């Protein structure tokens, strides 16, 4: 909000230059900058009282150590009695605790005087005509919104403050037709709504160039009701902005007199002799008790009771809380008031003493950190993508947003893959030829009426395996790139290995402890790529940080033998491996695939797969003969059972 | 006879020394050594003939032969060293590489800057004795707002534009909708958390003070521009115990700022408003670029906002049944992106989520 300095100085003498003043206000909780010689103040939503020149003047005065002295306006004298021409009924007293009205006859609508226009423009309000400008001027000056009706257009002589039936249509003075809900509050005449209370006037009763007689409204509306309606209708006016932050219910009268005075000054006319003031349940200033010990307990610094009293007094808090400060309801609010005027910078820093205990950390954190170390070491770069996707990118259980930002961000992701793929294509389109990415993040699905959040790990690779360089020939990435990375990761986690099971071509399910936890897929996009996604929930749940148990190092040498078998193309390596493990001697330590061959020399529909087997005993040196015997027996067994042929 | 032998030895000696001096490689050295000192070597042969001498003559000649032998051996040894050195040089020369060629290019992935900064923040607080807790991204109105003292229909809620969860899913293609249970009560309304502060409620519901915790995580706001992303990351913190004061808040957060940005940055605390804390504070650090003179980065103020904080509001304690008269505490929250942007000088928040390698490879 813009506060012109000269306007401010009409209310309070300012001791400091503008920059200094801005700094002091900032350090008291009103973030202020100097813009073009005036103050630009960012007012937090709890400080509705600061949305006016008067409000800022109160703060400035408090910062200068004394309470603002503010002269009230004497009610201008008038002619006829108002009851002859206007009645008001408030049917919704909760929504409108106070309603005031006064009539002014014989105004001359014209542009407002230059000084007024200048001030309005300085605070960012467009001048309209003298009557409207007067209400806006007062809004900026005292923070009280007013509305002026052309009394010609008020049907009958009664104004009613009430709700309307759902679906009522009402054209506001901005030309829009609004559809209303039962909670909305209206100002009505005998035939229907003439204003959306506290938010916007109606097109049917607005002040026009030929308006002569006006009804001036000043009121206090329930902030919550104003907020609910304004928010639902997506309207924010200078008026609604202030009503929803709370205006001073006891300042309404003075404001009405002041606006009346201003209109008489700028548009002439004669007001009614008296005015209507419906305020059946007067809102009285409250009392809050603040023990000095509480101040010390919260701030850590003892402030003398006399000083606390002086600070609060400078804010107008002397025994009771002024009604413009509806934000102050409990002792803690007064502690904050004391602290901010005293100065946060004067409160000394301290270090709390803590009770030592074992710190808690989320269960998945260690796994994540190990994964990040392992995967970056394998050349995978970490991605972090927006968690929103379009409707076509989620499955049946997708979680939709009721207010998405855009058509391609309508749902929460139910997989990390779309984000990784988008990233990959983004880079591919920018001349990146090889890429490996990983992401650790949540995905979302509906499950039994609840949104289930699953932590997942995604991997993606396209292009070549390692950085292209002079010594090593390029090798394209493939399924085994991701399977290998995942294998290494499970080793890094110290977990039992996972298994992969073929789905259809190029697609595999990842199984762990017999349960599917994810998959590895080939995506034949403009840039072919491999992706893998696994759910981490089962792993995190079952993960125990057990240290590795040391096994004594065998002093005996090992013996290696190779075994090349020609088998059916479709026979999975894992099956052969299981057969080797089963039929081999107990001292068959490990074995690994070292070659796979199809083509010339091998019958069609067959493949040659070669294993290297390592025999080692923990209690003796194996003799050549016994190794050979066992190896031959194993070979014969495999030939018969798989079946296979020794190559 | 003796003289003859002496002369012969002399000749062998001279010849041997000559040959040794002329040696060019280790192979010849081997052969020469064998020819002179080996089983059938000339000197060995001479030694054998000493047996035919009288006991009186033997020692003198024996000594002579041994002296000659030692000398030859010494010479052989000397030249061996030279030859080995020559050979080593030669091998090196043959195997010489262009040492200016690049080394083996091993793959190295990068951590995402947000994760990196997040972990840095976590480590600082772990070091000060804080625990880490997590909570769900999809929250209820109660945890995200109500329990945190955001009054209903209060403009404070508008400070955090919220994404709400739709309770129906349309089945693709079929146009059929699935309902996921109607939630009529406002407090059960599902939304994407706008801050990680709900985690403090969830933890305080279960654990009583003393409580020193941080809650890192993803948060969402209905906002999208150069400095705002609809999804970003926050670390929220909470310290509740007997006698925790605003002074403690200042001490702990100053400590944190120094750890992240360096001890040469000034830190200031000024009053601000967040419904769940009171007194509330905003924490600024001095702008490193302009040294508080005011520049584009700090918007001319000389200060950069990096943390929101404050003393836990008694209403929050009341929601979780912790006695606000006995306990006090402070809470704070920070945007990880904001800290990363300041730390690395990044000017567009969207860079974090595009996955552009030209960006990611810089960290």
């Amino acid at each position: 909000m813009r506060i012109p300095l000269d306007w401010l100085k009409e209310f309070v003498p300012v001791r400091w230059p503008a920059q200094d003043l801005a700094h002091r206000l900032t350090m008291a909780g009103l973030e202020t900058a100097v813009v073009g010689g005036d103050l630009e103040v960012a007012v937090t939503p709890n400080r509705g009282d600061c949305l006016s020149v008067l409000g800022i003047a109160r703060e400035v005065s408090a910062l200068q150590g004394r309470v603002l002295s503010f002269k009230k306006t004497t009610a201008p004298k008038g002619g006829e009695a108002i009851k002859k021409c206007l009645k008001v009924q408030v049917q919704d007293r909760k929504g409108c605790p106070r309603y005031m009205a006064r009539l002014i006859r014989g105004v001359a609508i014209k542009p407002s005087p230059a000084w007024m226009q200048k001030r309005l423009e300085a605070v960012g309000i467009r001048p309209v005509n003298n009557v409207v400008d007067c209400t806006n001027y007062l809004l900026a000056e005292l923070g009280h919104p007013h509305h002026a009706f052309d009394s010609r257009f008020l049907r009958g002589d009664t104004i009613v403050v009430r709700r309307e039936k759902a679906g009522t249509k009402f054209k506001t003075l901005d030309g829009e037709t609004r559809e209303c809900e039962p909670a909305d509050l209206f100002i009505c005449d005998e035939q229907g709504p003439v204003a959306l209370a506290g938010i916007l006037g109606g097109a049917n009763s607005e002040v026009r160039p030929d308006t002569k007689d006006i009804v001036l409204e000043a009121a206090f509306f329930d902030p919550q009701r104003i907020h609910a309606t304004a928010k639902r209708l997506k309207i924010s006016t200078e008026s609604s902005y202030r009503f929803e932050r709370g205006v001073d219910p006891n300042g309404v009268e003075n404001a009405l007199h002041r606006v009346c005075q201003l209109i008489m000054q700028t548009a002439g006319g004669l007001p009614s002799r008296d005015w209507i003031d419906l305020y059946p349940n007067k809102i009285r200033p409250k009392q809050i008790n603040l023990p000095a010990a509480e101040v010390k307990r919260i701030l850590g610094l003892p402030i003398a009771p006399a000083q606390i009293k002086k600070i609060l007094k400078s804010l107008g808090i002397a025994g009771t809380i002024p009604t413009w400060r509806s934000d102050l309801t409990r002792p803690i609010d007064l502690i904050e008031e004391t602290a901010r005027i005293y100065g946060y910078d004067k409160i000394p820093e301290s270090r709390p003493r803590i009770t030592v205990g074992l710190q808690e950390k989320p269960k998945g954190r260690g796994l994540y950190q190990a994964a990040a170390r392992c995967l970056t070491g394998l050349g995978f770069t970490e991605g972090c993508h927006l968690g929103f996707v379009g409707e076509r990118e989620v499955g049946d259980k997708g979680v939709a947003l009721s207010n998405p930002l855009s058509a391609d961000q309508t749902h929460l992701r139910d997989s990390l893959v779309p984000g990784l793929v988008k990233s990959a294509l983004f880079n591919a389109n920018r001349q990146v030829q090889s890429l490996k990415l990983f992401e650790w993040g949540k995905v979302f699905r509906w499950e039994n009426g609840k949104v289930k959040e699953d932590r997942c790990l995604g991997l993606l690779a396209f292009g070549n395996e390692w950085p292209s360089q002079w010594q090593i020939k390029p090798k394209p990435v493939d399924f085994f790139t991701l399977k290998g990375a995942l294998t290494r990761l499970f080793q890094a986690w110290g977990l039992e290995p996972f298994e992969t099971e073929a789905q259809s071509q190029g697609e595999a399910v990842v199984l762990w402890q017999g349960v599917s936890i994810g998959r590895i897929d080939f995506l034949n996009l403009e840039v072919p790529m491999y992706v893998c996604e696994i759910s981490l929930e089962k792993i995190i749940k079952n993960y125990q940080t057990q240290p590795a148990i040391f096994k004594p190092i065998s002093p005996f040498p090992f013996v290696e033998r190779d075994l090349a078998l020609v088998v059916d193309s479709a026979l999975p390596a894992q099956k052969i491996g299981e057969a080797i493990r089963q039929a081999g001697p107990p001292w068959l330590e490990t074995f690994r695939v070292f070659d796979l061959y199809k083509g010339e020399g091998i019958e069609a529909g067959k493949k040659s797969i070669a294993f290297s087997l390592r025999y080692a005993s923990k209690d003796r040196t194996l003799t050549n003969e016994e190794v050979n015997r066992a190896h031959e027996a194993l070979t014969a067994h495999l030939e018969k059972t798989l079946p296979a042929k020794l190559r | 006879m003796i003289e003859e032998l002496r002369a012969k030895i002399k000749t062998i000696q001279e010849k041997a020394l000559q040959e040794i001096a002329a040696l060019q490689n280790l192979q010849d050295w081997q052969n020469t050594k064998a020819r002179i000192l080996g089983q059938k070597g000339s000197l060995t042969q001479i030694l054998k003939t000493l047996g035919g001498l009288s006991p009186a003559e033997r020692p003198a000649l024996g000594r002579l032969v041994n002296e000659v032998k030692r000398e030859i051996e010494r010479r052989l040894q000397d030249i061996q060293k030279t030859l080995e050195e020559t050979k080593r040089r030669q091998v090196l020369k043959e195997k010489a590489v262009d040492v200016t060629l690049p080394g083996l290019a091993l793959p190295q992935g990068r951590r995402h800057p947000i994760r990196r900064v997040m972990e840095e923040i976590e480590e600082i607080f772990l070091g000060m004795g804080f625990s880490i807790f997590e909570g769900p991204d999809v929250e209820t109105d109660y945890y995200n707002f109500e329990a945190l003292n955001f009054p209903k229909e209060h403009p404070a809620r508008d400070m955090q534009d919220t994404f709400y969860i739709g309770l129906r899913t349309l089945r693709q293609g079929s146009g059929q909708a699935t309902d996921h249970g109607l939630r009529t009560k406002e407090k059960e309304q599902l939304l994407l958390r706008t801050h990680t502060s709900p985690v403090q409620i969830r933890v305080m519901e279960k654990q009583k003070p003393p409580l020193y915790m941080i809650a890192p995580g993803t948060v969402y706001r209905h906002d999208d521009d150069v400095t705002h992303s609809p999804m970003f990351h926050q670390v929220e913190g909470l310290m509740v115990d007997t006698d925790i004061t605003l002074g403690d808040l200042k001490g702990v957060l100053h400590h944190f700022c120094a750890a992240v940005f360096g001890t040469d940055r000034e830190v200031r605390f000024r009053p601000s408003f967040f419904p769940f804390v009171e007194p509330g504070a905003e924490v600024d650090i001095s702008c490193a670029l302009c040294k508080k003179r005011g520049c584009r980065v700090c918007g001319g103020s000389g200060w950069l906002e990096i943390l929101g904080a404050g003393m836990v509001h008694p209403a929050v304690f009341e929601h979780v049944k912790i006695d606000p008269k006995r306990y006090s505490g402070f809470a704070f929250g920070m945007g990880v992106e904001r800290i990363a942007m300041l730390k690395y000088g990044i000017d567009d928040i969207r860079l974090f989520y595009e996955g552009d390698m030209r960006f990611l490879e810089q960290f």
Side-chain angles (χ1 to χ4, degrees):
Chain A
M1 194 188 44
R2 192 64 60 90
I3 302 289
L5 263 183
D6 58 337
W7 203 343
L8 183 70
K9 284 177 181 166
E10 285 176 13
F11 285 85
V12 63
V14 179
R15 205 190 288 161
W16 306 295
Q19 284 294 353
D20 255 26
L21 177 62
H23 174 70
R24 281 166 199 270
L25 283 168
T26 299
M27 294 310 282
L30 289 159
E31 216 181 330
T32 305
V34 179
V35 180
D38 292 335
L39 303 179
E40 178 64 41
V41 190
V43 180
T44 51
N46 57 326
R47 294 301 304 273
D49 65 297
C50 284
L51 292 170
S52 63
V53 177
L54 170 67
I56 300 299
R58 282 197 194 108
E59 287 288 303
V60 173
S61 193
L63 287 171
Q64 294 181 153
R66 59 173 58 176
V67 66
L68 181 80
S69 65
F70 169 61
K71 235 198 226 149
K72 289 195 171 170
T73 308
T74 343
K77 294 203 182 346
E80 61 190 312
I82 195 153
K83 64 180 173 193
K84 280 192 193 156
C85 33
L86 189 70
K87 292 188 196 71
V88 175
Q89 272 180 29
V90 176
Q91 291 181 0
D92 187 337
R93 285 204 185 146
K94 274 187 96 174
C96 178
R98 186 174 195 181
Y99 195 92
M100 294 187 75
R102 197 170 183 185
L103 183 79
I104 306 177
R105 285 201 195 278
V107 295
I109 304 297
K110 56 186 181 199
S112 55
W115 64 267
M116 185 178 276
Q117 294 203 15
K118 208 181 134 213
R119 280 203 169 163
L120 287 177
E121 273 162 359
V123 299
I125 298 175
R126 188 176 50 88
V128 180
N129 59 46
N130 45 7
V131 169
V132 173
D133 289 358
C134 282
T135 61
N136 283 334
Y137 186 87
L138 204 83
L139 176 136
E141 185 177 74
L142 302 184
H144 281 274
H146 289 82
H147 187 63
F149 299 97
D150 184 328
S151 77
R152 266 186 302 173
F153 302 118
L154 295 177
R155 297 152 292 189
D157 62 357
T158 307
I159 283 177
V160 187
V161 184
R162 65 158 191 246
R163 302 166 185 229
E164 283 287 326
K165 271 193 253 100
T168 301
K169 291 204 167 62
F170 177 60
K171 196 172 171 192
T172 44
L173 53 75
D174 55 2
E176 299 272 327
T177 301
R178 319 277 182 177
E179 188 164 323
C180 300
E181 282 191 3
D184 301 337
L185 194 63
F186 284 96
I187 312 300
C188 302
D189 61 12
E190 285 175 11
Q191 288 179 33
V194 291
L196 194 49
I199 301 174
L200 206 51
N204 53 6
S205 58
E206 68 175 314
V207 171
R208 295 174 193 191
D210 60 347
T211 298
K212 293 275 180 291
D213 301 340
I214 57 169
V215 171
L216 263 180
E217 166 200 285
F220 170 69
F221 297 112
D222 177 0
Q224 293 191 358
R225 295 275 294 279
I226 301 296
H227 183 257
T229 300
K231 198 176 179 199
R232 196 192 77 245
L233 295 174
K234 297 195 172 71
I235 318 174
S236 178
T237 60
E238 295 284 348
S239 172
S240 69
Y241 195 79
R242 282 167 180 81
F243 276 127
E244 65 191 10
R245 282 162 177 75
V247 301
D248 177 10
N250 296 327
V252 176
E253 184 175 348
N254 176 63
L256 178 65
H257 297 331
R258 171 87 172 125
V259 78
C260 199
Q261 185 191 54
L262 275 176
I263 289 174
M264 288 164 72
Q265 264 176 36
T266 61
L270 184 69
S272 53
R273 190 175 66 212
D274 51 359
W275 50 87
I276 290 165
D277 185 1
L278 294 180
Y279 191 19
N281 299 309
K282 189 170 157 60
I283 296 167
R284 295 180 197 285
K286 290 189 179 66
Q287 264 193 319
I288 301 173
N289 199 11
L290 177 64
E294 270 299 280
V295 178
K296 179 177 184 293
R297 186 173 76 98
I298 298 297
L299 302 183
L301 168 83
I303 302 179
Q307 198 176 358
I308 297 172
K309 210 170 160 186
K310 187 169 176 267
I311 287 173
L312 294 178
K313 204 178 153 199
S314 74
L315 289 161
I317 305 164
T320 56
I321 310 297
T323 47
W324 63 79
R325 291 300 304 271
S326 59
D327 60 314
L328 307 180
T329 59
R330 23 199 324 171
I332 194 72
D333 299 323
L334 298 189
I335 295 175
E336 181 176 69
E337 290 305 292
T338 307
R340 70 181 186 89
I341 301 296
Y342 182 83
Y344 281 14
D345 50 344
K346 293 200 199 88
I347 294 167
E349 287 183 12
S350 51
R351 305 261 182 90
R353 287 159 194 268
I354 68 167
T355 308
V356 172
L358 280 180
Q359 288 162 293
E360 286 187 59
K361 290 177 209 166
K363 236 185 147 187
R365 189 174 184 267
L367 284 169
Y368 165 68
Q369 288 179 320
R373 269 194 303 272
C374 169
L375 292 168
T376 50
L378 295 174
F380 287 80
T381 290
E382 187 174 31
C384 176
H385 304 104
L386 288 186
F388 306 107
V389 291
E391 191 178 351
R392 279 186 305 175
E393 292 165 305
V394 290
D396 279 353
K397 293 176 177 164
V399 179
L401 300 171
S402 59
N403 55 338
L405 264 181
S406 65
D408 58 348
Q409 300 188 348
T410 53
H411 286 69
L412 294 180
R413 64 182 175 193
D414 66 358
S415 161
L416 298 177
V417 172
L420 286 166
V421 169
K422 253 177 249 171
S423 247
L425 293 177
F426 180 98
N427 285 295
N429 290 335
R430 282 160 186 78
Q431 298 166 297
V432 172
Q433 277 155 12
S434 299
L435 186 63
K436 288 181 186 173
L437 284 175
F438 80 96
E439 182 174 11
W440 180 291
K442 282 180 181 173
V443 303
F444 305 83
R445 280 185 207 94
W446 280 108
E447 224 172 87
N448 304 324
K450 285 193 177 127
V451 176
K452 188 163 178 281
E453 304 185 5
D454 245 358
R455 279 163 292 187
C456 286
L457 171 72
L459 301 176
L460 178 146
F462 73 77
N464 283 325
E465 196 65 73
W466 33 74
S468 53
Q469 51 196 299
W470 59 279
Q471 273 182 304
I472 303 176
K473 277 194 193 134
K475 174 191 173 305
V477 299
D478 56 21
F479 173 86
F480 300 100
T481 303
L482 297 190
K483 182 172 177 178
L486 209 55
T487 307
R488 179 72 81 76
L489 180 58
F490 272 62
Q491 286 165 357
W493 280 338
L495 295 178
E496 61 186 273
F498 64 90
E499 286 173 356
T500 40
E501 200 172 81
Q503 281 283 85
S504 54
Q505 196 149 28
E507 295 178 338
V509 172
V510 179
L511 301 164
W512 188 66
Q513 294 185 342
V515 178
S516 160
I517 56 164
R519 43 194 299 123
I520 303 175
D521 283 320
F522 169 68
L523 301 182
N524 197 11
L525 304 173
E526 52 205 276
V527 181
M529 55 183 77
Y530 290 86
V531 292
C532 163
E533 181 171 40
I534 59 166
S535 164
L536 301 161
E537 292 305 322
K538 186 178 161 72
I539 293 173
I540 292 171
K541 203 171 141 210
N542 295 2
Y543 185 67
Q544 271 156 1
T545 40
Q546 260 183 358
I549 304 295
F550 167 74
K551 295 184 206 78
I553 296 155
S554 169
F556 306 105
F558 57 82
V559 183
E560 281 195 332
R561 290 284 184 274
D562 289 349
L563 175 62
L565 300 168
V566 176
V567 295
D568 257 7
S569 248
L571 186 67
Q574 192 178 323
K575 284 270 179 316
I576 308 173
E578 281 162 13
I580 292 174
R581 175 57 71 202
Q582 216 176 13
W587 31 267
L588 168 60
E589 200 179 62
T590 56
F591 57 90
R592 63 185 168 88
V593 177
F594 75 90
D595 193 32
L596 178 73
Y597 177 75
K598 277 185 210 179
E600 209 176 319
I602 301 292
E603 201 184 321
K606 303 266 177 194
K607 65 182 170 190
S608 158
I609 183 162
F611 292 85
S612 172
L613 288 71
R614 176 175 291 189
Y615 297 101
S617 165
K618 289 193 173 55
D619 46 31
R620 66 184 195 283
T621 301
L622 298 170
T623 64
N624 237 335
E625 289 71 37
E626 64 180 324
V627 170
N628 288 346
R629 245 191 337 270
H631 192 70
E632 276 157 26
L634 173 63
T635 310
H637 177 83
L638 293 174
E639 281 186 305
K640 209 166 86 190
T641 53
L642 279 175
K645 232 191 265 165
L646 195 64
R647 189 178 171 200
Chain B
M1 172 77 176
I2 288 172
E3 283 316 308
E4 202 178 310
L5 264 173
R6 279 185 192 280
K8 208 169 171 183
I9 290 167
K10 192 86 184 158
T11 319
I12 289 171
Q13 183 188 19
E14 275 164 17
K15 200 178 164 219
L17 292 181
Q18 252 173 30
E19 272 179 42
I20 289 167
L23 280 173
Q24 289 299 325
N25 60 54
L26 283 166
Q27 188 58 51
D28 291 348
W29 181 87
Q30 277 294 351
N31 296 342
T32 309
K33 188 183 175 189
R35 206 160 50 242
I36 304 164
L37 301 174
Q39 289 291 313
K40 290 174 184 167
S42 44
L43 208 59
T44 320
Q45 295 302 323
I46 291 283
L47 267 173
K48 284 182 186 160
T49 58
L50 294 187
L53 294 178
S54 68
E57 294 163 334
R58 221 179 289 158
L61 258 153
R63 264 198 306 277
L64 179 64
V65 174
N66 277 329
E67 266 165 32
V68 169
K69 192 180 172 187
R70 271 199 295 277
E71 190 185 358
I72 289 170
E73 276 171 350
R74 202 172 55 241
R75 290 290 179 93
L76 273 169
Q77 240 172 36
D78 289 350
I79 198 133
Q80 184 190 16
K81 275 186 196 146
T82 318
L83 289 175
E84 274 175 353
E85 178 61 22
T86 314
K87 165 122 192 224
R88 198 179 65 84
R89 286 199 186 152
Q90 202 179 343
V91 169
L92 273 181
K93 205 170 171 186
E94 278 162 14
K95 285 196 68 175
V97 293
D98 175 358
V99 295
T100 65
L101 279 167
L104 188 63
L106 296 164
Q108 177 63 54
R110 306 291 180 142
R111 290 295 299 282
H112 195 279
I114 291 299
R115 300 292 187 177
R116 192 182 276 273
V117 170
M118 209 142 161
E119 229 170 81
E120 192 183 328
I121 295 167
E122 288 171 10
E123 291 304 324
I124 293 168
F125 284 105
L126 282 174
M128 288 195 274
F130 286 64
S131 289
I132 303 178
F133 288 92
E134 287 172 349
D137 291 21
V138 175
E139 267 294 0
T140 60
D141 183 273
Y142 177 77
Y143 284 105
N144 197 69
F145 290 124
E146 198 180 321
L148 288 163
N149 194 35
F150 281 79
K152 282 201 178 68
E153 294 301 347
H154 191 279
R157 289 197 178 203
D158 305 345
M159 298 185 344
Q160 303 187 359
D161 263 342
T162 311
F163 281 109
Y164 290 93
I165 301 293
L167 294 177
R168 285 151 65 87
T169 310
L170 279 176
R171 269 190 211 291
Q172 274 183 49
S174 70
Q176 269 187 322
T178 316
D179 279 321
H180 301 288
L182 282 172
R183 285 162 180 79
T184 44
K185 285 190 197 144
E186 191 182 354
K187 56 172 16 180
E188 289 167 21
Q189 163 84 56
L190 291 180
L191 46 79
L192 290 177
R193 64 178 175 190
T194 55
H195 44 194
T196 53
S197 316
V199 181
Q200 58 166 277
I201 301 295
R202 289 181 177 278
V203 173
M204 282 195 288
E205 277 180 347
K206 293 204 182 95
Q207 297 188 19
K208 297 304 155 198
L211 205 56
Y212 323 121
M213 60 159 281
I214 58 167
T218 312
V219 300
Y220 307 81
R221 289 191 197 172
H222 205 271
D223 224 345
D224 201 0
D225 61 42
V226 177
T227 49
H228 297 91
S229 164
M231 181 194 101
F232 59 102
H233 299 82
Q234 256 194 0
V235 177
E236 154 93 15
L238 180 74
M239 180 163 223
V240 180
D241 207 335
T242 49
D243 304 315
I244 297 289
T245 68
L246 187 65
D248 295 336
L249 175 156
K250 288 183 69 177
V252 169
L253 294 182
H254 194 161
H255 220 59
F256 166 75
C257 292
V260 177
F261 294 102
T263 47
D264 54 335
R265 305 290 280 272
E266 280 178 60
V267 179
R268 77 172 185 187
F269 297 79
R270 59 186 164 81
S272 190
F273 170 68
F274 307 98
F276 44 105
V277 288
E278 185 156 19
E282 198 95 58
V283 187
D284 302 336
I285 53 161
S286 57
C287 180
L289 209 68
C290 64
K291 303 269 181 284
K292 274 169 53 186
R293 278 190 297 271
C295 66
R296 192 184 53 82
V297 171
C298 57
S301 72
W303 294 93
L304 298 158
E305 224 175 276
I306 49 155
L307 283 154
M311 302 302 292
V312 179
H313 199 288
V316 173
F317 280 141
E318 285 158 11
H319 271 291
V320 294
K321 302 194 168 58
I322 288 177
D323 183 2
K325 293 204 176 72
R326 174 149 184 240
Y327 294 104
S328 54
F330 63 82
F332 54 90
M334 66 194 94
V336 181
E337 275 79 354
R338 169 122 182 110
I339 290 180
M341 286 169 91
L342 290 175
K343 214 175 150 74
Y344 299 122
I346 297 162
D347 58 1
D348 185 342
I349 198 168
R350 289 170 291 206
L351 282 167
F352 287 119
Y353 319 106
E354 276 168 348
D356 191 333
M357 287 307 282
R358 295 166 299 181
F359 173 76
L360 295 176
E361 273 172 357
Q362 296 183 32
F363 303 98

